[in-house]
Amino acid sequence: MFRVGLRCAGEEKRVGTRTVVVGHRPVSEADAYVAQKFCDNRIVSSKYTVWNFLPKNLFEQFRRIANFYFLIIFLVQVIVDTPTSPVTSGLPLFFVITVTAIKQGYEDWLRHRADNEVNKSNVFVIENAKQVQKESEKIKVGDIVEVKADETFPCDLIFLASSSTDGTCYVTTASLDGESNFKTHYAVRDTTVLCTDEAIDSLTATIECEQPQPDLYKFVGRIIMYRSNQEPVARLVLQLSLPPSKIKATVCTTLKYVWQSNPFNDEPWYNEKTKKERETFKVLRMFTDFLSFMVLFNFIIPVSMYVTVEMQKFLGSFFISWDKEMYDEEIKEGALVNTSDLNEELGQVEFVFTDKTGTLTENSMEFIECCIDGHKYKDCISEVDGFSQTDGPLKYYGKAEKSREELFLRALCLCHTVRIKQADQVDGLIGHPECKNTYISSSPDEIALVKGAEKYGFTFLGLENDFMKIRNQKNETEMYQLLHTLNFDPVRRRMSVIVRTTTGKLLLFCKGADSSIFPRVQQEEIQQTKVHVDRNAMDGYRTLCVAFKELTQKEYDRIDRQLNEAKMALQDREEKMAKVFEDTEADMHLIGATAVEDRLQEQSAETIEALHAAGMKVWVLTGDKMETAKSTCYACRLFQTSTELLELTARVVGESERKEDRLHELLMDYHKRLIQDVPKPRGSLKRSWTLSQEYGLIIDGSTLSLILNPSQDSSSSHYKSIFLQICLKCTAVLCCRMAPLQKAQIVRMVKNTKGSPITLSIGDGANDVSMILEAHVGIGKEGRQAARNSDYAVPKFKHLRKLLLAHGHLYYVRIAHLVQYFFYKNLCFILPQFLYQFFCGFSQQPLYDAAYLTMYNICFTSLPILAYSLLEQHINIDTLTSDPQLYILSFVGAGRNPWGWFEPVCLPCDRDRGAVELQKGCLYPQCFLLELSNVLCIAYSVYAL
Amino acid sequence: MAVNYSAKEEADGHPAGGGPGGGAAAGGGGAVKTRKPDNTAFKQQRLPAWQPILTAGTVLPAFFIIGLIFIPIGIGIFVTSNNIREYEIDYTGIEPSSPCNKCLNVSWDSTPPCTCTINFTLEHSFESNVFMYYGLSNFYQNHRRYVKSRDDSQLNGDNSSLLNPSKECEPYRTNEDKPIAPCGAIANSMFNDTLELYHVENDTRTAIPLIKKGIAWWTDKNVKFRNPTGDGNNLTALFQGTTKPVNWPKPVYMLDSEPDNNGFINEDFIVWMRTAALPTFRKLYRLIERKSNLQPTLQAGKYSLDITYNYPVHSFDGRKRMILSTISWMGGKNPFLGIAYITVGSICFFLGVVLLIIHHKYGNRNTSADIPN
């Protein structure tokens, strides 16, 4: 049960701070209470209301180029005296629009209902020392809200007090950023005691904080009671951001209309024009004629094609979710299709961006070994679970001092943010049957480490009132007072705790990546450990170094003061904290290092090989360190032993001032090797596997930012393009130490290259969401955070193989045939109409009856091709999966067509890529249609002469 | 045609038509709703499929069979078409030598009408019923403006439309503030030449009886076209308040003397109102019925055609023809279909022979490399 003050997120950007009066009680009579206006707490995720549904929905629908095109045709038919009645195109359009409107209206109704559910949900608000039940939408800024366990926060909240006396609460932010792990939030010390309704009612305070802002993770504010104070915060933002839908609108070409002067004396005695007709301008008459021809031939692109294509995509996507081979027995989930629009793009993927942790690997960490003072400790029993009994057979490769050993293990037990949860139903956590306890942590590494320590006899028992309890090897319980936790952040890449032992000693334990620990410890200690760390990294383990330092009381007091100061700062809190951390975590002593294994997923190596063979370029984008990532890449055969590796990392570039120049040198060098010295392969269709030497590129985050965001602008774009060229020449690229946004940056860079290749991103975690959204096709791991933001979700990485090679290929071929067939049959249908114009004086006389024109595509000819496009397997699925080369043939071969002249008409494909983007594809017949109309107009003019 | 059945095997022993039950059972009881996909042939895309593979063994017989079927059909049709007697005279009078040359620049209202006589000889006798057509060339009855220039409800006898014709009829809707009946360009331009046929024997001309009824479609005559209704049967009274089409010499109720062939239900008028699809067309004018079984309908010999030349076609470079034709089960004379059949059949047969030779000579070299797989 939490007691929480409330804030509300407004949309408008305001500068300065806002002041919230807790519980609507004026702080003092003297202060003029200026009621600030805040927005209410109603959530609106629906798009329409009853009133604006019709205009807004119609506007939305006609923003689609296809609908707009048909609307224009319809309007032309209504306005101009055209050969076919407006009904012929109006009816199907009306049908399509109505069906879509009903569908969208229904979806919006569901959204309204969901909104109402949230808005009308009951929330307990404390008013005058009593719990009052309120509807969520009626919460005002400043109300004190009581939230019970496992409830959703109704609004942005500031944490005042919780049922636990130490004033903590665990919050998941799954609905905000997709991270389902628990984050601990602390209440301000002064308010933690206000646990009862009466007590909280006595609180008179104001909260000063920033205006609402889009950054989820930053909140600066202070609570003013009688003295200024700082308070940590549980903050939720009620902004539902919908992933940008992939609208690909291609704009139609300009209409070229060669107008010829027209004597127009085609008026035999038996067929005179009306007076009005005679009086209209010739130019206008020509234009009207042109429009009439256009209307007459617009059946080449029928409205119903869009319906059929949509149906094909929608129904076709079921086959993906029905696929038994993509069902995973462990998580009891099959593939999931969130967007059916992209089925055929699965068949044209050229670049695959994959996350490493959790995607290529299992992300179930296992403590493998550790090294204490350069001595290696390795568990000879490799078990996945059941650590608890293994006090036992450890193989010691030499032995460190006993005291050092214990110090190391204590460090492992203390230096973490793991919490113990007694309850059983926690999402995504590793159970521990023997202790009936579950470790909760924001990172699986920490759990692995704590379990590792447990294996060696030191068990973490939990945190009670700032005291951490440990059971040591002798089964005694040790208590440590937790004074400060210097939380992990990706910039520092380490975390520390400051604890006080029962004897009063003050200890700082620090663990972190080797690169961040080594500079901060005594240099002479590094050497032995470094050997182990490097070897472990080569083996593909994730390594962490552990260091400690003893603090004197004086030092601690200083640190304590500094930390509190920094925490209270309203401005630049981040920088100040970082500064204090930097000062605190210095001059430590290295104790040892740990190695945690992240196992490869089954068949990820085979899958990568298959993707390679299918002509796709696989890029691994990971936040991991280079050595670990590299070894994983070798393990999953992204890099072969024959692959020549090009490195663009901090290591080769160096840390010096000149690193930018050095980087540029390297870039030029690689560029020379890869592009200039290699004889140009003939034609763009030749793909990289034809090259004899395969290249792999390794780049890390810092170097990448150096390339993409250089300090001086001079020639930056030049190096950027060189870098891109190098990347494109490499069969495999490994980007390590990537921040989530950098991942997206890379994807965007590749996506925007010449020929705009289709990109695919696959990942599991919240840090992959940005790149999943950026890529053309986003694939999430089933049951993970990324799944809801992705277009497709599959349980395992290996399922990518069937998804792309079989389903993608088939859908690509199917939809290509579908579209081609549609144009073919309509061309056949309309061609006689075209030819007939030569026999009827170019008078736009339709050859077919209006009903037949209307029904031809809707009823008479749509079902067989729909069935074909759903079921056709030109190659057996098994063959497709086992022979990845067929994948290339599909999209290289699709551009081949013996009917040279016919090609632009019946092949809606880009020659190079064979993209069947429908919008794009429709341009050809549309142009063809205009062309037909042109031809006739000209012929007419000639005839009339 | 060789059919290569490649029904995919059921991979794991589940029956193909297992249905949803199979999947649910595997998931462990109905209580827990499982998302495990059903193992059906349809959902797993394992439906039996076949792929025809073209080999010499299938293609060659196909060619021969097509050839052997098409050639006789073609010959049959061709012969039938050739047995149809057809005789055609162009009486436009473009050539100065033509008797109708004097009438070439005739106008609508020339009185007395220009008449001319054309003599011709039938080489063969016409045995069965003879159909007499008039044909026009370069006359765009299919022009969009022309096609829609009519009021069907007026023609169907609707009294309100009779006095207030549809706007589609413009500019042939009203004349001197009176509604035109029948309105529109089609009606206005009705063919009004009169053709009379005489058998010339020893300088005596015997008129051949021409039947003017039964030349229109039954539905047109009885359903689509009706005279306006009112008191009595006097058409003159019924058409009161309307005026004749501009180009017509007489109003619509004076088209014929017989009441069941007068007004809108005049068959010549109905035939004209059914617009032709192409600019060169023929329309049925009269029927010549076979009198007795002993004599042919039209025996070989000399004939003369008397034309009352009213219809001007020279202004738009048109032609007028008179056609006499018999018909068969496949309609009028049309050699194209037969020739098309014979051509396709012959090409198939010829290709069959060529491929057979090629197959016989080179076919057995490397049978294994037939289908690179």
Side-chain angles (χ1 to χ4, degrees):
Chain A
M1 186 170 71
F2 313 128
R3 297 281 153 69
V4 219
L6 172 139
R7 300 179 346 92
C8 176
E11 289 292 323
E12 60 270 65
K13 285 229 187 298
R14 281 160 295 194
V15 285
T17 58
R18 50 159 56 179
T19 309
V20 177
V21 181
V22 176
H24 309 293
R25 279 179 296 274
V27 181
S28 64
E29 260 88 303
D31 282 350
Y33 175 62
V34 186
Q36 277 175 285
K37 266 201 80 88
F38 298 113
C39 62
D40 64 1
N41 193 38
R42 205 161 50 170
I43 298 172
V44 182
S45 67
S46 54
K47 266 157 96 184
Y48 310 109
T49 63
V50 179
W51 308 113
N52 71 8
F53 176 74
L54 204 64
K56 202 173 169 187
N57 184 263
L58 286 181
F59 175 72
E60 289 289 326
Q61 288 205 45
F62 286 118
R63 269 179 21 175
R64 290 188 59 188
I65 189 125
N67 287 345
F68 187 69
Y69 166 76
F70 291 116
L71 180 72
I72 292 293
I73 292 284
F74 175 69
L75 289 181
V76 165
Q77 280 181 311
V78 170
I79 295 163
V80 182
D81 170 39
T82 53
T84 50
S85 90
V87 178
T88 52
S89 70
L91 194 73
L93 181 66
F94 178 74
F95 174 75
V96 169
I97 295 288
T98 316
V99 168
T100 319
I102 289 172
K103 187 179 140 241
Q104 288 180 350
Y106 175 71
E107 281 170 359
D108 206 57
W109 179 71
L110 288 182
R111 254 179 255 134
H112 268 287
R113 221 174 50 170
D115 284 355
N116 266 347
E117 224 163 75
V118 176
N119 285 335
K120 303 276 187 235
S121 65
N122 289 324
V123 172
F124 289 101
V125 172
I126 294 167
E127 276 174 6
N128 303 325
K130 271 193 234 73
Q131 278 187 21
V132 182
Q133 203 173 1
K134 263 195 178 181
E135 284 175 355
S136 153
E137 61 178 343
K138 299 222 173 94
I139 296 177
K140 292 192 293 296
V141 175
D143 282 348
I144 297 170
V145 181
E146 187 177 311
V147 182
K148 297 200 172 58
D150 294 335
E151 279 184 0
T152 320
F153 287 177
C155 54
D156 293 3
L157 299 169
I158 286 174
F159 184 31
L160 293 176
S162 79
S163 56
S164 74
T165 46
D166 55 354
T168 54
C169 71
Y170 305 108
V171 176
T172 83
T173 50
S175 53
L176 294 180
D177 55 8
E179 289 179 23
S180 68
N181 50 44
F182 283 80
K183 296 180 183 63
T184 316
H185 291 279
Y186 302 91
V188 189
R189 292 258 161 89
D190 307 87
T191 59
T192 48
V193 289
L194 307 170
C195 292
T196 59
D197 295 347
E198 293 77 30
I200 199 98
D201 197 50
S202 67
L203 173 71
T204 310
T206 58
I207 291 166
E208 242 176 65
C209 58
E210 314 162 288
Q211 297 294 350
Q213 48 145 334
D215 188 346
L216 288 179
Y217 301 101
K218 260 171 53 194
F219 177 79
V220 183
R222 69 176 133 197
I223 185 163
I224 303 160
M225 293 164 69
Y226 294 103
R227 55 191 175 280
S228 268
N229 209 330
Q230 188 274 337
E231 37 67 67
V233 148
R235 180 171 193 259
L236 296 173
V237 176
L238 298 174
Q239 273 173 322
L240 279 167
S241 63
L242 298 164
S245 58
K246 305 194 172 192
I247 300 165
K248 280 167 214 140
T250 345
V251 188
C252 196
T253 51
T254 48
L255 194 153
K256 56 172 171 135
Y257 180 64
V258 187
W259 185 71
Q260 293 214 334
S261 64
N262 175 25
F264 218 92
N265 48 12
D266 175 39
E267 201 181 353
W269 59 263
Y270 57 85
N271 192 8
E272 279 169 7
K273 295 194 191 82
T274 57
K275 218 167 144 205
K276 211 177 106 210
E277 277 176 313
R278 252 179 250 160
E279 278 162 5
T280 42
F281 278 115
K282 272 181 188 168
V283 179
L284 194 66
R285 221 153 45 194
M286 283 297 285
F287 184 64
T288 318
D289 277 339
F290 174 71
L291 289 181
S292 301
F293 280 127
M294 208 170 88
V295 166
L296 198 60
F297 301 130
N298 91 77
F299 292 93
I300 291 179
I301 321 133
V303 190
S304 76
M305 187 181 78
Y306 287 87
V307 182
T308 313
V309 166
E310 290 297 317
M311 290 238 295
Q312 191 266 351
K313 286 181 167 182
F314 176 70
L315 297 176
S317 61
F318 281 112
F319 282 115
I320 294 178
S321 49
W322 281 339
D323 196 327
K324 195 163 55 73
E325 285 171 38
M326 297 212 278
Y327 177 79
D328 192 72
E329 289 291 346
E330 277 170 43
I331 58 169
K332 301 242 175 287
E333 296 274 359
L336 189 76
V337 181
N338 293 333
T339 331
S340 56
D341 288 347
L342 302 166
N343 287 346
E344 77 279 355
E345 297 205 343
L346 289 176
Q348 314 162 60
V349 175
E350 284 183 64
F351 287 89
V352 175
F353 299 94
T354 166
D355 177 41
K356 187 181 80 72
T357 317
T359 309
L360 288 176
T361 58
E362 294 273 13
N363 201 22
S364 64
M365 301 297 167
E366 196 182 334
F367 185 86
I368 295 295
E369 61 173 58
C370 59
C371 111
I372 303 168
D373 276 349
H375 302 286
K376 186 172 164 192
Y377 288 71
K378 188 168 178 141
D379 186 2
C380 56
I381 306 169
S382 61
E383 284 170 302
V384 182
D385 58 350
F387 296 125
S388 55
Q389 270 108 5
T390 49
D391 256 349
L394 297 174
K395 205 183 269 173
Y396 296 101
Y397 300 85
K399 218 164 170 121
E401 286 170 57
K402 190 73 182 163
S403 62
R404 298 287 285 182
E405 246 173 61
E406 285 180 2
L407 184 68
F408 176 77
L409 293 172
R410 283 197 185 99
L412 286 190
C413 277
L414 294 171
C415 184
H416 54 72
T417 53
V418 173
R419 298 287 171 266
I420 285 184
K421 181 156 170 128
Q422 322 282 154
D424 33 22
Q425 289 209 336
V426 185
D427 180 41
L429 296 167
I430 298 154
H432 199 282
E434 264 73 23
C435 296
K436 284 182 232 109
N437 283 344
T438 318
Y439 291 123
I440 309 171
S441 170
S442 49
S443 100
D445 299 61
E446 290 199 324
I447 293 170
L449 289 179
V450 171
K451 285 190 171 164
E454 191 176 321
K455 204 161 32 167
Y456 292 96
F458 277 81
T459 315
F460 174 64
L461 294 177
L463 185 72
E464 267 176 32
N465 300 333
D466 282 354
F467 283 95
M468 292 175 106
K469 287 200 291 184
I470 295 177
R471 191 168 60 223
N472 65 13
Q473 283 167 321
K474 300 181 197 98
N475 238 343
E476 298 158 348
T477 308
E478 296 174 16
M479 304 279 271
Y480 295 88
Q481 190 187 1
L482 179 64
L483 297 169
H484 280 289
T485 308
L486 283 58
N487 275 326
F488 178 86
D489 69 63
V491 183
R492 264 164 62 236
R493 306 187 49 75
R494 59 184 182 271
M495 69 152 300
S496 308
V497 287
I498 301 174
V499 293
R500 195 202 302 270
T501 61
T502 35
T503 55
K505 269 207 288 185
L506 288 159
L507 291 171
L508 179 139
F509 291 110
C510 178
K511 75 169 196 289
D514 50 60
S515 57
S516 65
I517 295 282
F518 284 163
R520 281 159 220 292
V521 296
Q522 311 296 329
Q523 290 307 306
E524 64 273 12
E525 296 164 351
I526 295 174
Q527 210 44 50
Q528 295 165 303
T529 314
K530 194 169 168 29
V531 178
H532 285 276
V533 170
D534 288 348
R535 205 193 43 240
N536 285 339
M538 285 300 290
D539 292 339
Y541 300 143
R542 294 152 79 94
T543 56
L544 284 175
C545 292
V546 183
F548 92 108
K549 116 168 152 180
E550 224 175 306
L551 297 169
T552 62
Q553 186 63 40
K554 215 167 115 193
E555 277 174 319
Y556 172 70
D557 288 343
R558 186 177 49 80
I559 291 165
D560 187 46
R561 203 183 57 244
Q562 283 176 342
L563 276 174
N564 283 336
E565 257 171 36
K567 276 184 193 168
M568 275 201 300
L570 260 189
Q571 261 108 40
D572 303 330
R573 186 190 286 169
E574 298 292 311
E575 288 84 53
K576 283 178 184 158
M577 295 284 269
K579 176 90 174 54
V580 178
F581 289 165
E582 184 81 24
D583 293 344
T584 312
E585 295 162 334
D587 300 326
M588 298 178 290
H589 301 278
L590 189 67
I591 334 173
T594 58
V596 172
E597 187 189 16
D598 189 1
R599 272 183 303 148
L600 273 188
Q601 278 198 1
E602 48 173 337
Q603 289 186 26
S604 45
E606 288 85 345
T607 309
I608 287 206
E609 272 191 329
L611 296 184
H612 263 294
M616 280 176 257
K617 292 184 177 172
V618 182
W619 294 32
V620 174
L621 311 180
T622 175
D624 254 348
K625 56 188 299 189
M626 191 194 112
E627 287 78 16
T628 321
K630 197 162 119 186
S631 57
T632 312
C633 287
Y634 272 114
C636 59
R637 282 175 246 167
L638 183 69
F639 295 151
Q640 313 280 347
T641 40
S642 62
T643 311
E644 193 178 331
L645 290 185
L646 311 173
E647 248 182 65
L648 282 173
T649 56
R651 205 177 66 188
V652 286
V653 174
E655 291 287 342
S656 65
E657 293 291 304
R658 279 187 60 255
K659 60 181 174 186
E660 211 154 316
D661 300 331
R662 173 89 184 101
L663 174 68
H664 292 166
E665 275 170 36
L666 273 174
L667 279 174
M668 293 311 290
D669 178 40
Y670 291 155
H671 184 256
K672 197 159 161 253
R673 260 162 72 188
L674 258 69
I675 291 142
Q676 291 164 359
D677 292 356
V678 173
K680 283 222 155 96
R682 269 170 295 118
S684 57
L685 298 185
K686 286 231 169 156
R687 301 183 69 86
S688 50
W689 85 87
T690 51
L691 297 173
S692 52
Q693 176 65 51
E694 287 192 357
Y695 289 97
L697 180 76
I698 303 177
I699 186 165
D700 65 0
S702 57
T703 320
L704 183 76
S705 63
L706 212 58
I707 294 172
L708 297 182
N709 320 307
S711 51
Q712 80 262 29
D713 321 35
S714 62
S715 71
S716 60
S717 59
H718 174 59
Y719 287 109
K720 208 167 152 182
S721 75
I722 285 183
F723 169 66
L724 193 61
Q725 285 176 30
I726 294 173
C727 285
L728 298 181
K729 270 280 174 293
C730 293
T731 39
V733 176
L734 165 64
C735 306
C736 41
R737 291 274 192 265
M738 288 282 136
L741 280 177
Q742 278 183 317
K743 292 186 177 185
Q745 218 176 353
I746 293 229
V747 176
R748 197 180 316 127
M749 184 182 79
V750 172
K751 200 171 81 170
N752 294 335
T753 51
K754 203 170 119 262
S756 44
I758 302 280
T759 54
L760 177 143
S761 291
I762 177 165
D764 68 329
N767 58 338
D768 306 316
V769 170
S770 59
M771 81 172 179
I772 285 175
L773 292 178
E774 186 65 47
H776 290 100
V777 187
I779 297 192
K781 289 288 294 300
E782 185 76 78
R784 297 290 182 82
Q785 300 93 315
R788 92 192 70 200
N789 290 306
S790 58
D791 303 313
Y792 299 91
V794 291
K796 287 257 167 70
F797 184 73
K798 64 170 178 177
H799 297 130
L800 203 57
R801 181 182 182 143
K802 190 168 183 196
L803 186 66
L804 294 184
L805 297 187
H807 289 289
H809 184 120
L810 284 180
Y811 279 113
Y812 175 65
V813 172
R814 284 169 184 175
I815 199 128
H817 285 179
L818 171 68
V819 174
Q820 287 178 17
Y821 177 79
F822 246 91
F823 291 140
Y824 162 73
K825 76 175 167 128
N826 281 294
L827 205 65
C828 287
F829 182 55
I830 292 302
L831 203 61
Q833 179 108 281
F834 169 71
L835 294 175
Y836 185 60
Q837 297 308 309
F838 291 93
F839 294 91
C840 71
F842 304 99
S843 61
Q844 304 113 33
Q845 172 66 21
L847 188 59
Y848 305 107
D849 189 68
Y852 187 53
L853 276 174
T854 317
M855 305 304 263
Y856 176 77
N857 277 304
I858 297 177
C859 306
F860 301 154
T861 57
S862 63
L863 282 182
I865 184 61
L866 182 66
Y868 171 89
S869 66
L870 283 174
L871 303 173
E872 163 70 356
Q873 293 174 24
H874 65 299
I875 304 175
N876 193 317
I877 286 186
D878 298 332
T879 322
L880 280 177
T881 356
S882 58
D883 191 354
Q885 297 242 354
L886 291 169
Y887 189 80
I888 313 164
L889 292 180
S890 83
F891 68 82
V892 174
R896 241 180 265 139
N897 190 340
W899 313 95
W901 177 81
F902 234 46
E903 183 170 53
V905 188
C906 61
L907 246 196
C909 302
D910 203 342
R911 239 206 132 97
D912 290 336
R913 265 214 353 261
V916 215
E917 280 172 42
L918 271 181
Q919 309 284 3
K920 205 191 257 175
C922 281
L923 279 184
Y924 288 116
Q926 257 156 16
C927 298
F928 182 69
L929 182 149
L930 297 182
E931 218 49 56
L932 272 189
S933 311
N934 267 341
V935 166
L936 280 183
C937 268
I938 293 165
Y940 188 13
S941 316
V942 172
Y943 160 84
L945 267 167
Chain B
M1 194 145 296
V3 171
N4 180 18
Y5 280 95
S6 59
K8 280 138 214 160
E9 288 158 40
E10 299 303 316
D12 43 6
H14 274 278
V32 186
K33 202 185 161 196
T34 173
R35 285 196 55 223
K36 186 174 169 70
D38 302 336
N39 185 23
T40 57
F42 174 67
K43 288 192 174 181
Q44 300 307 322
Q45 304 198 61
R46 277 188 273 102
L47 289 174
W50 60 272
Q51 210 168 6
I53 292 173
L54 303 179
T55 60
T58 55
V59 173
L60 286 178
F63 271 122
F64 284 118
I65 288 169
I66 291 174
L68 289 176
I69 292 175
F70 274 34
I71 292 173
I73 292 180
I75 290 170
I77 292 174
F78 188 71
V79 167
T80 316
S81 175
N82 265 4
N83 283 340
I84 295 170
R85 298 267 175 258
E86 195 175 276
Y87 188 83
E88 191 173 310
I89 311 171
D90 187 321
Y91 67 91
T92 324
I94 300 289
E95 305 83 25
S97 60
S98 167
C100 290
N101 185 252
K102 58 180 177 176
C103 304
L104 189 58
N105 291 315
V106 79
S107 71
W108 281 100
D109 42 7
S110 55
T111 40
C114 178
T115 54
C116 55
T117 303
I118 291 178
N119 295 315
F120 63 95
T121 313
L122 292 181
E123 305 286 337
H124 307 278
S125 62
F126 284 48
E127 298 291 337
S128 57
N129 288 347
V130 175
F131 293 73
M132 185 177 182
Y133 302 90
Y134 59 89
L136 293 175
S137 296
N138 206 21
F139 189 100
Y140 284 86
Q141 246 203 334
N142 55 11
H143 195 281
R144 188 159 66 93
R145 196 168 351 106
Y146 185 84
V147 167
K148 67 180 183 183
S149 183
R150 63 193 283 165
D151 185 349
D152 278 324
S153 66
Q154 189 194 45
L155 297 172
N156 199 24
D158 188 270
N159 282 329
S160 61
S161 300
L162 181 73
L163 296 174
N164 187 19
S166 150
K167 277 200 199 67
E168 301 282 347
C169 285
E170 287 291 359
Y172 304 101
R173 186 165 163 265
T174 53
N175 187 24
E176 293 162 351
D177 290 337
K178 274 183 163 180
I180 294 175
C183 74
I186 313 178
N188 186 56
S189 60
M190 183 180 160
F191 182 77
N192 59 353
D193 282 1
T194 312
L195 307 174
E196 281 159 3
L197 195 60
Y198 295 93
H199 185 219
V200 184
E201 218 168 6
N202 308 326
D203 288 344
T204 45
R205 288 170 24 122
T206 330
I208 292 170
L210 303 173
I211 300 164
K212 61 187 173 189
K213 283 205 268 188
I215 56 172
W217 292 20
W218 186 89
T219 44
D220 283 358
K221 171 105 182 165
N222 296 288
V223 181
K224 273 188 86 178
F225 289 80
R226 278 190 209 132
N227 279 323
T229 46
D231 309 327
N233 286 325
N234 189 355
L235 278 180
T236 319
L238 290 172
F239 281 100
Q240 188 97 52
T242 64
T243 183
K244 69 175 178 67
V246 190
N247 289 349
W248 286 21
K250 291 177 285 187
V252 67
Y253 47 83
M254 289 166 72
L255 281 176
D256 202 275
S257 51
E258 293 176 48
D260 65 338
N261 194 27
N262 200 4
F264 290 156
I265 53 171
N266 176 273
E267 293 201 15
D268 284 333
F269 174 66
I270 292 172
V271 166
W272 179 256
M273 289 305 281
R274 186 161 278 279
T275 51
L278 295 172
T280 298
F281 59 90
R282 55 172 73 163
K283 280 179 184 294
L284 191 55
Y285 184 65
R286 294 288 182 260
L287 301 175
I288 305 167
E289 272 187 356
R290 185 170 183 168
K291 287 278 155 45
S292 65
N293 287 333
L294 302 170
Q295 262 192 318
T297 322
L298 294 177
Q299 61 207 47
K302 285 187 177 168
Y303 289 86
S304 74
L305 179 71
D306 276 16
I307 301 141
T308 315
Y309 200 115
N310 292 321
Y311 206 73
V313 291
H314 189 57
S315 62
F316 57 88
D317 204 16
R319 291 301 184 97
K320 297 198 282 191
R321 289 160 294 143
M322 191 282 301
I323 303 111
L324 294 169
S325 170
T326 59
I327 60 163
S328 70
W329 54 267
M330 51 163 286
K333 195 172 181 110
N334 180 10
F336 174 79
L337 191 61
I339 293 171
Y341 263 106
I342 293 170
T343 315
V344 171
S346 312
I347 289 173
C348 280
F349 196 83
F350 173 73
L351 279 179
V353 172
V354 170
L355 289 178
L356 185 67
I357 293 166
I358 292 174
H359 178 63
H360 189 71
K361 270 194 141 177
Y362 308 103
N364 297 326
R365 277 226 181 128
N366 43 0
T367 41
S368 60
D370 257 359
I371 307 146
N373 221 336

